[in-house]
Structures are given as structure tokens and as C-alpha cells.
Amino acid sequence: MAAAPGGRGRCVTVPLPLPGAASPPCAATAAASAGGREKAAEVAAMALPVLSSSGVKFRRVLAHFPQELSLAFAYGSGVFRQAGPSAGHSENNMLDFVFAVDDSVTWHMMNLLKNKSHYSFLKVFGPKQISNIQSYGAGIYYNTLVPCNGRMIKYGVISTDALIDDLLHWKTLYVAGRLQKPVKILTQNENGKLQAALVSNLKSAVTAAFLMLPESFSEEDLYMQIAGLSYSGDFRMIIGEDRSKVQNIVKPNVPYFQKLYSNILQDCPQVVYKHHLGRLEIDKSPEGQFTQLMALPKNLQQKITSLVDPPGKNRDVEEILLQVAHDPDCGLVVHQACWHYPLQLIVRPDIWCSGRELKL
């Protein structure tokens, strides 16, 4: 697995930051920081408490693993309170983590030495084969139902390169979707390309949501649309899981969404952000929608064009997106394209990758 540009940096542990920062207009990808320390300080300045006394708890878990991490974050109902039936039981919920690593083979080799029992029968094939399996699907390998410090945890391992690719281009929208919602970052190194990709992913989420919303909407409407992006094609929202999941995620956590997105909204020239009223107005002209469509991640643009362009015509992507921008159902087309992320429709990587469900 190739190392991410920039190599391993000195890990900077920051207190409870959320990814996202003020930057150029939402159509642009954020430029990499010239100085890693300045960027780390900027991320750290965005700290917001998650659950009381949770910082030490999560870092105690992190201490059980090899420390060669470009990014580590915790997410889900064990970290952020959610509404609904399980609202009062967040302290008993499984803790979910994602670890991004520059060298997957080396990291799995060290983790097998420390935590061999975490792995399914696939451990007998060694770290190289585990890393090969990791490269399929969403590019993430999960160990699940792992007892740690008196709690059950699951953790996914993804290469830094695969993470950056998903953040920038929405290749699968699996980990990128996680990072569009509030997460608790535990450690992050000084890889400027990764830091820029984290911000770019947030801007892409805002842009996609704008296209699916009416001309005027509430801040909560925006966050509902953003939080729903990664669930668009998720079969769990149709069969077997609470259909109000998105609402349960957003309503108790609006301040965290605001922390993630308010600077981006304030700097975006296509929106009037009435922060004191919690309202937004967006440019829904064909010209405005075309600008937004052209700013979408590459893979989502391709899914839109495949819906609109009949087979065999092979028209230019820009020409097709211009046609969509003039379509009164532009937002519906974008929504349908989000449904066409096949990974969400077929499998959950946190189940099929090395879960205890597979353990022999």
C-alpha cells in the first residue's frame, strides 16, 4: 500500500476537535496548509465538548493500539447523544472508531502482535493478506465486538490514501459520510493533503445538500439533508433499522453541526446565511445550480451523468450537468444519484470485514 504524500508526520493529539474550518468558497478544495503546526492549532481551536469526561475514556482505548496513525476518530451513538429509543443508553452503546494508517501492512503486523485476539480466522493469513482484503469495498477493514476497558468496541482500519480518495471524490461515501457528521477526532498528524481533504468533504456535503433543498430552508433542514447523504442508498433505512435515524442524529447535536459548517456557510458566496434566525437562502437559478453541480465530487458527477445521458451518446460531463441545472427536478436527480452508491445497497463493511460474526 503506497504511503500517502507527506509521509508520516508527528502526531498531534488535540482535545475534542471536529473537522472543518473557514476556507475559500464551498466550490473550491481547501489548499494544504503551509505549516502543519498552524493547521493543527486551527483544528484544536474548534474544540467542543462531546460527552462529559469522555476524553480520557477514548484515549485510554487508543493506547491499546499501534500509534502510527495519520487520523483516529470515534463516532456514533456511543460518542454523541441521539434521540429515540436508545437515547438514555449511550454509555452502554458500542464505541466505534476509525484508524487511518499510512502503511496498512505494517500497522496490521504490529496490531497482530499486540491484539491478535481481535482478528477473525483471517489472522492466519498474515498482515499482507488482511491488508489486501481491506482494499476491497469501502477500503476499510473492521474488527468488531472487541472488549476493551470494560466496553465493547469496533474499529475500522483504512489507508490514508484510500481515505483521502473517498473524501475528495466520494468513491464509496462510506468513511467520507461518517466525517460529514460530528465525530470526535483523537489524533491527527500534519499531513496537509489529508487536512485539506477533510475540509473539501464538508464543502461537498454542503453543495450536494444545497442542490436538494428549496430556495429557503432552516439550518436544521440543511443538517438533516447532509446527515442523510450517506444513508441515501443504505438498505438499513428501509429494512430493519429506525427510519427516523437521521432526525435522531441531528436534533440533539445541532450545535456540533454548526461547529462543523458555520464557517463554510459564512464564506460561501451562493448562500445568504441568517445565523441569528437559523435560516438560509440559496441561489436556485440555473447558473447557480450549474456552479454547484460542477463543484460536486467526481464520482457523484459521474452517477448523475449516467442517470441523464442515454447509453451511446457519450456527451461531455459539463454539457450534461448544464442540462441538469436547467431541469426543474435537478434536486431529485442529485438525490437519485446518491442512491446509486452500490456499496450502501449491498454490504456493510463493518459486518463483512473480520467481524466476530465470522470468527471460527
Side-chain angles (χ1 to χ4, degrees):
M1 194 74 62
R8 291 194 183 92
R10 179 176 61 83
C11 281
V12 179
T13 301
V14 294
L16 312 181
L18 298 171
S23 206
C26 55
T29 299
S33 170
R37 290 183 179 84
E38 289 79 1
K39 185 66 180 179
E42 178 184 338
V43 174
M46 299 167 58
L48 191 67
V50 180
L51 295 176
S52 59
S53 305
S54 62
V56 172
K57 172 179 67 179
F58 291 118
R59 290 187 178 87
R60 284 183 63 202
V61 171
L62 200 62
H64 288 268
F65 298 94
Q67 297 301 295
E68 287 72 9
L69 303 169
S70 60
L71 178 71
F73 65 89
Y75 65 94
S77 60
V79 185
F80 293 89
R81 293 186 179 93
Q82 296 185 10
S86 61
H89 307 287
S90 59
E91 289 299 321
N92 299 319
N93 292 347
M94 183 181 292
L95 296 177
D96 302 319
F97 299 87
V98 167
F99 303 149
V101 301
D102 289 340
D103 185 337
S104 296
V105 175
T106 300
W107 195 91
H108 282 298
M109 178 181 68
M110 292 188 294
N111 198 42
L112 281 165
L113 292 173
K114 290 172 68 78
N115 300 303
K116 192 172 184 179
S117 64
H118 294 183
Y119 290 79
S120 72
F121 70 95
L122 295 173
K123 62 178 172 280
V124 303
F125 298 109
K128 187 173 182 180
Q129 188 59 35
I130 291 171
S131 183
N132 288 338
I133 292 171
Q134 178 182 307
S135 66
Y136 289 98
I140 188 165
Y141 182 101
Y142 270 94
N143 283 326
T144 71
L145 299 177
V146 174
C148 185
N149 291 347
R151 294 286 296 272
M152 293 300 263
I153 72 168
K154 77 167 183 269
Y155 62 93
V157 183
I158 187 170
S159 77
T160 307
D161 284 345
L163 174 58
I164 290 173
D165 187 37
D166 198 32
L167 291 169
L168 292 178
H169 306 302
W170 289 9
K171 181 180 178 182
T172 67
L173 198 55
Y174 190 82
V175 181
R178 297 265 182 255
L179 286 161
Q180 289 162 3
K181 297 180 277 291
V183 302
K184 178 178 173 56
I185 292 182
L186 303 175
T187 188
Q188 182 177 352
N189 73 8
E190 297 173 352
N191 184 331
K193 188 174 180 182
L194 174 57
Q195 291 164 347
L198 288 165
V199 178
S200 177
N201 179 48
L202 298 179
K203 291 181 176 182
S204 296
V206 167
T207 302
F210 281 170
L211 285 160
M212 292 186 278
L213 287 162
E215 186 174 7
S216 177
F217 48 91
S218 71
E219 211 171 340
E220 189 172 298
D221 290 336
L222 173 65
Y223 302 143
M224 291 280 287
Q225 196 68 250
I226 289 172
L229 285 172
S230 59
Y231 291 113
S232 294
D234 193 331
F235 71 93
R236 293 175 296 161
M237 305 308 288
I238 302 171
I239 301 172
E241 195 152 318
D242 187 355
R243 296 186 187 184
S244 60
K245 185 176 181 69
V246 172
Q247 180 177 313
N248 292 343
I249 290 170
V250 173
K251 282 190 175 294
N253 296 299
V254 168
Y256 300 105
F257 280 92
Q258 289 174 326
K259 199 69 176 178
L260 273 178
Y261 290 104
S262 61
N263 287 338
I264 292 173
L265 296 174
Q266 288 167 358
D267 288 348
C268 183
Q270 293 182 311
V271 68
V272 178
Y273 180 28
K274 301 176 181 178
H275 185 271
H276 59 293
L277 297 175
R279 300 289 303 178
L280 300 99
E281 296 175 4
I282 185 68
D283 180 5
K284 299 299 286 187
S285 69
E287 294 80 6
Q289 294 191 141
F290 179 65
T291 300
Q292 294 157 19
L293 287 163
M294 290 297 292
L296 291 175
K298 178 181 65 177
N299 279 277
L300 182 54
Q301 287 181 340
Q302 291 172 347
K303 292 179 189 304
I304 291 170
T305 58
S306 67
L307 286 173
V308 175
D309 197 34
K313 280 200 170 184
N314 297 320
R315 290 187 294 160
D316 183 75
V317 170
E318 186 171 339
E319 179 187 351
I320 297 168
L321 295 181
L322 183 60
Q323 175 189 327
V324 174
H326 284 81
D327 190 333
D329 294 324
C330 173
L332 180 60
V333 174
V334 176
H335 180 76
Q336 289 174 335
C338 289
W339 269 85
H340 281 70
Y341 275 88
L343 175 75
Q344 299 286 4
L345 289 166
I346 300 170
V347 296
R348 283 178 59 190
D350 54 340
I351 288 179
W352 72 264
C353 283
S354 185
R356 290 296 180 92
E357 296 88 343
L358 300 177
K359 212 165 177 64
L360 297 182

